[in-house]
C-alpha cells in the first residue's frame, strides 16, 4: 500500500517514538557504533521538512541521475537542511547480504561536519516482502519507516564524484536523490504543492501545542513550455534549415549574482530549429507520455 502525502507526518511521528525510546527493539537490536547515526536520524526527523515525490517525478530523477557523475551535498544544495523524502512506489534497492532491500524513503541532516544520509523502507513493504519467509515479523516492534542503511557524505563547495562515496550506498538511489534536489530548483519543470497532515495527526500535534505539519508534494508539470531553440542561446545564435530533437541532459548553468555561480540544471528534451523547417528523423525515437 502506497503512503499518501497526508499520512507522512503521522509516519514520521510514530517512527520518532521508536528512535527516542532506548528500550525499543530498534535501539536494543542495534550495535553501539550505529547508535550515533540513529541519534542523528532522530534529530533530523524532529525538525526536518517533509517531501513526497510523485511517481513520474521519481522516474525522471532516476533517469536524470544516470547522467549525473558528481553532486554537492552542502546545506545550500538541499531543499531543506534536514528532511525526509518519501518516493511513491520506491526508488530502487540496496543489497543486504545478497538480499535486495527496497528503498522507499531518504532522510538527511548534519552529522559531525558532514551530511548523514539514511535509506529507509516501510514496515508495510517489509511485511509484504516476507510473507513467504519461514518466520513471522513482530510488527509492533518495527517502526513505520525502518532505517536500512546510513552513511555520511562530504560537504563542500565542489561536487563529489558519486563513485567515490560509500561503496555500500546504491549509486542509482543516491544519484536520484541528488537529481531530485536539483530538479526541485527548476520551477518551469516541477510543481511543488503543500498538503496538510490528516486530521487525526493534526489533532495530535495540537494536543502537544504544535502546529499541524505540512508535506511538500513534488511532481512534474503537466506541460513544458515549447522551445524552438537551445535554452541559453542568445544573440548571435546559429540559424538552421532543419529541426531536430535534443535529448534531455544536465548543463552546468550560471546563476546568482552576475551569474558567477554554477549548478547542474536539467534541460528537458526539446525541438531545436526554426518553426516550419523539416524535422530530421532518427532511427530511434523515445516517447514519454503522462
Amino acid at each position: 500500500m502506497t503512503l499518501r502525502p497526508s499520512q507522512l507526518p503521522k509516519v514520521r511521528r510514530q517512527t520518532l517514538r521508536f528512535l527516542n525510546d532506548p528500550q525499543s527493539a530498534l535501539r536494543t537490536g542495534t550495535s553501539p557504533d550505529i547508535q550515533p547515526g540513529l541519534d542523528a536520524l532522530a534529530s533530523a526527523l524532529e525538525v526536518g521538512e517533509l517531501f513526497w515525490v510523485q511517481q513520474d517525478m521519481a522516474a525522471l530523477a532516476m533517469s536524470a541521475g544516470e547522467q549525473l557523475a558528481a553532486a554537492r551535498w552542502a546545506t545550500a544544495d538541499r531543499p531543506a537542511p534536514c528532511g525526509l523524502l518519501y518516493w511513491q512506489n520506491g526508488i530502487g534497492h540496496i543489497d543486504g547480504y545478497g538480499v535486495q532491500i527496497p528503498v522507499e524513503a531518504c532522510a538527511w541532516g548534519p552529522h559531525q561536519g558532514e551530511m548523514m544520509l539514511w535509506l529507509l523502507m516501510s514496515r508495510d513493504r517489509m511485511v509484504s516482502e516476507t510473507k513467504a519467509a519461514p518466520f513471522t515479523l513482530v510488527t509492533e516492534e518495527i517502526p513505520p519507516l525502518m532505517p536500512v542503511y546510513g552513511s555520511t557524505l562530504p560537504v563542500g563547495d565542489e561536487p563529489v564524484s558519486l563513485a567515490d562515496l560509500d561503496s555500500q550506498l546504491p549509486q542509482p538511489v543516491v544519484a536520484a536523490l541528488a537529481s531530485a534536489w536539483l530538479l526541485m530548483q527548476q520551477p518551469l519543470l516541477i510543481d511543488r504543492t503543500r498538503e496538510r497532515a490528516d486530521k487525526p495527526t493534526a489533532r495530535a500535534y495540537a494536543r502537544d501545542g504544535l502546529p499541524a505539519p505540512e508535506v511538500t508534494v513534488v511532481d512534474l508539470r503537466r506541460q513544458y513550455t515549447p522551445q524552438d531553440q537551445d535554452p541559453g542561446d542568445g544573440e548571435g545564435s546559429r540559424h538552421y534549415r532543419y529541426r531536430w530533437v535534443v535529448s534531455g541532459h544536465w548543463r552546468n548553468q550560471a546563476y546568482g549574482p552576475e551569474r558567477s555561480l554554477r549548478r547542474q540544471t536539467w534541460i528537458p528534451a526539446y525541438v531545436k530549429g526554426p518553426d516550419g523547417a523539416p524535422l530530421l528523423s532518427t532511427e530511434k525515437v523515445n516517447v514519454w507520455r503522462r
Side-chain angles (χ1 to χ4, degrees):
M1 181 178 69
T2 300
L3 183 71
R4 297 192 301 273
S6 62
Q7 297 173 314
L8 191 55
K10 177 181 179 181
V11 166
R12 187 256 303 269
R13 187 180 176 89
Q14 292 178 342
T15 299
L16 272 169
R17 291 176 183 169
F18 284 84
L19 286 167
N20 292 329
D21 180 4
Q23 302 304 316
S24 70
L26 175 60
R27 285 293 194 169
T28 59
T30 303
S31 61
D33 57 318
I34 302 297
Q35 297 297 332
L38 293 179
D39 292 339
L41 174 60
S43 298
L45 292 182
E46 286 278 6
V47 300
E49 294 188 26
L50 302 176
F51 300 88
W52 189 92
V53 176
Q54 197 266 356
Q55 184 177 3
D56 288 351
M57 170 64 186
L60 175 59
M62 286 289 289
S63 176
E66 294 175 356
Q67 301 184 42
L68 194 65
R72 296 188 310 195
W73 307 99
T75 303
D77 298 297
R78 311 171 205 164
C82 302
L84 170 64
L85 185 150
Y86 181 85
W87 306 90
Q88 184 187 23
N89 297 336
I91 196 66
H93 297 77
I94 182 172
D95 182 74
Y97 301 102
V99 177
Q100 294 297 298
I101 303 173
V103 176
E104 296 178 89
C106 299
W108 65 88
H111 182 60
Q112 298 179 351
E114 297 186 299
M115 189 195 81
M116 171 65 74
L117 173 64
W118 275 99
L119 309 180
L120 308 100
M121 73 177 294
S122 70
R123 177 174 56 202
D124 290 344
R125 182 71 175 271
M126 187 179 295
V127 171
S128 175
E129 294 282 337
T130 57
K131 279 184 178 180
F135 57 83
T136 302
L137 293 175
V138 182
T139 55
E140 294 80 7
E141 297 183 356
I142 304 173
L145 287 178
M146 182 69 181
V148 295
Y149 192 76
S151 182
T152 55
L153 283 68
V155 173
D157 295 331
E158 296 299 322
V160 178
S161 171
L162 299 180
D164 292 339
L165 299 179
D166 182 349
S167 61
Q168 298 300 311
L169 281 173
Q171 188 167 325
V173 174
V174 179
L177 179 64
S179 295
W181 289 358
L182 290 166
L183 292 167
M184 286 182 199
Q185 301 177 46
Q186 298 184 234
L188 295 181
L189 182 64
I190 303 302
D191 273 330
R192 295 174 61 157
T193 57
R194 303 283 283 179
E195 187 164 330
R196 295 179 66 85
D198 57 27
K199 291 182 178 179
T201 304
R203 287 195 293 267
Y205 272 78
R207 287 194 295 270
D208 292 339
L210 300 172
E214 293 186 334
V215 179
T216 298
V217 179
V218 185
D219 196 1
L220 290 177
R221 293 184 69 88
R222 291 285 176 181
Q223 296 179 343
Y224 298 126
T225 303
Q227 302 180 65
D228 59 7
Q229 65 177 10
D230 188 340
D233 281 354
E235 295 183 4
S237 300
R238 296 181 180 179
H239 296 281
Y240 301 101
R241 293 181 298 169
Y242 300 96
R243 292 181 299 144
W244 67 95
V245 176
V246 178
S247 300
H249 57 280
W250 290 106
R251 170 182 289 162
N252 198 23
Q253 194 89 357
Y255 77 104
E258 299 182 355
R259 300 175 65 80
S260 60
L261 304 176
R262 294 289 188 275
R263 70 177 167 215
Q264 292 292 324
T265 301
W266 181 253
I267 308 300
Y270 60 95
V271 175
K272 184 172 181 176
D275 289 338
L279 181 65
L280 293 176
S281 61
T282 59
E283 294 182 359
K284 181 179 180 182
V285 178
N286 295 304
V287 180
W288 180 20
R289 294 192 178 96
R290 287 180 55 87

